[in-house]
Amino acid sequence: MAQGMERLDNGTKVFTGPGAAFGTDALLLARFAMPRRKETALDLCSGCGIVALAWHDAGHRGPCTAVELDADASALCRRAVQETPGAEHITALCTDLRTFCKSGPEQGKYDFAACNPPYFTAGEQAADRARATARHETDCTLDDVCKCAFRLLKDGGRLSLCHRPERLAEVLAVLRANRLEPKRLAFVKNRPDAAPWLFLVEAQKNRKTGLRVEPDVLISAGAALYGR
């Protein structure tokens, strides 16, 4: 598999390959909600491990498990961990999250989780299997992600997601159906007067209602400008 390599702000390596690249949405998700420095964290549908690696680059040093179904993508994350000094706290785990969440020792273990899930439920799919799986809910649905997060998070633990605005109502409904109460919401726009192309949401396990809508995240010259 042909590979590429990029470095994050503080030098953390991220390896990419066909079907295992990353976009602005993953970087925005990692920045929108981070685990505290020593919290136990979980990166679901991790792909090449970009979210877990971005957290490390920003200072997270607690145990972090990067769960990915595709073996090639998971291997890219493992390589990045091996080649990044001090990143040994990240474990690249190649497994189906639907199976992983049923493991007794893992249940109720995590303080924080994030997921950049497949965005599309149906329609024409890419011929490349890995790319199709990353984009469409063929092997992992939104409900699968939320059920998994509920099982693995501690009471009061947080789950962050990024998703497409056209599925906002569905995402909030599925979160709440799985006792993950939406607490923070922000929309991502290219310009202040443009329609959002992404939203970011953070939910908490077994908490009361109370959603805070935050200022839009504006993308300008390739950078995310928060609170402007």
Side-chain angles (χ1 to χ4, degrees):
M1 180 174 67
Q3 293 184 5
M5 191 273 285
E6 297 187 37
R7 288 185 184 271
L8 301 178
D9 292 344
N10 294 310
T12 301
K13 292 182 179 179
V14 183
F15 291 97
T16 61
F22 65 89
T24 304
D25 52 355
L27 292 172
L28 290 168
L29 175 64
R31 186 173 176 183
F32 172 71
M34 278 189 58
R36 298 179 181 91
R37 182 176 175 82
K38 295 295 185 180
E39 282 186 327
T40 302
L42 184 64
D43 179 9
L44 297 171
C45 302
S46 67
C48 64
I50 178 58
V51 171
L53 293 165
W55 287 342
H56 169 81
D57 196 67
H60 178 244
R61 295 295 183 269
C64 182
T65 305
V67 177
E68 171 55 44
L69 181 63
D70 182 77
D72 289 337
S74 186
L76 293 173
C77 179
R78 191 172 301 109
R79 181 182 174 189
V81 169
Q82 292 170 348
E83 297 193 18
T84 299
E88 297 84 5
H89 62 101
I90 300 173
T91 300
L93 186 62
C94 182
T95 188
D96 189 321
L97 62 80
R98 294 168 295 187
T99 302
F100 178 67
C101 71
K102 295 176 183 178
S103 172
E106 299 298 323
Q107 294 186 16
K109 172 180 175 181
Y110 296 88
D111 299 295
F112 192 91
C115 184
N116 181 359
Y119 290 153
F120 306 107
T121 56
E124 185 176 351
Q125 298 186 13
D128 179 79
R129 171 65 176 169
R131 181 172 172 79
T133 299
R135 292 172 58 83
H136 293 267
E137 294 184 345
T138 53
D139 297 296
C140 174
T141 67
L142 180 61
D143 190 58
D144 289 333
V145 170
C146 293
K147 279 184 166 54
C148 179
F150 181 82
R151 287 184 173 183
L152 297 179
L153 287 170
K154 298 176 182 178
D155 196 51
R158 296 168 290 154
L159 168 68
S160 292
L161 298 171
C162 57
H163 222 298
R164 295 294 184 94
E166 59 266 28
R167 295 190 67 185
L168 173 61
E170 179 188 359
V171 170
L172 297 182
V174 174
L175 284 167
R176 297 192 76 185
N178 285 283
R179 294 161 60 188
L180 297 165
E181 187 61 34
K183 305 299 278 186
R184 299 172 58 216
L185 175 67
F187 294 96
V188 180
K189 299 180 177 182
N190 289 330
R191 305 182 314 276
D193 60 344
W197 60 271
L198 188 79
F199 72 85
L200 302 156
V201 63
E202 180 180 282
Q204 273 191 294
K205 177 177 175 176
N206 287 334
R207 288 298 182 262
K208 296 180 180 179
T209 60
L211 176 63
R212 182 173 76 249
V213 180
E214 300 188 348
D216 294 336
V217 179
L218 302 182
I219 306 299
S220 176
L225 305 180
Y226 280 71
R228 300 187 185 181

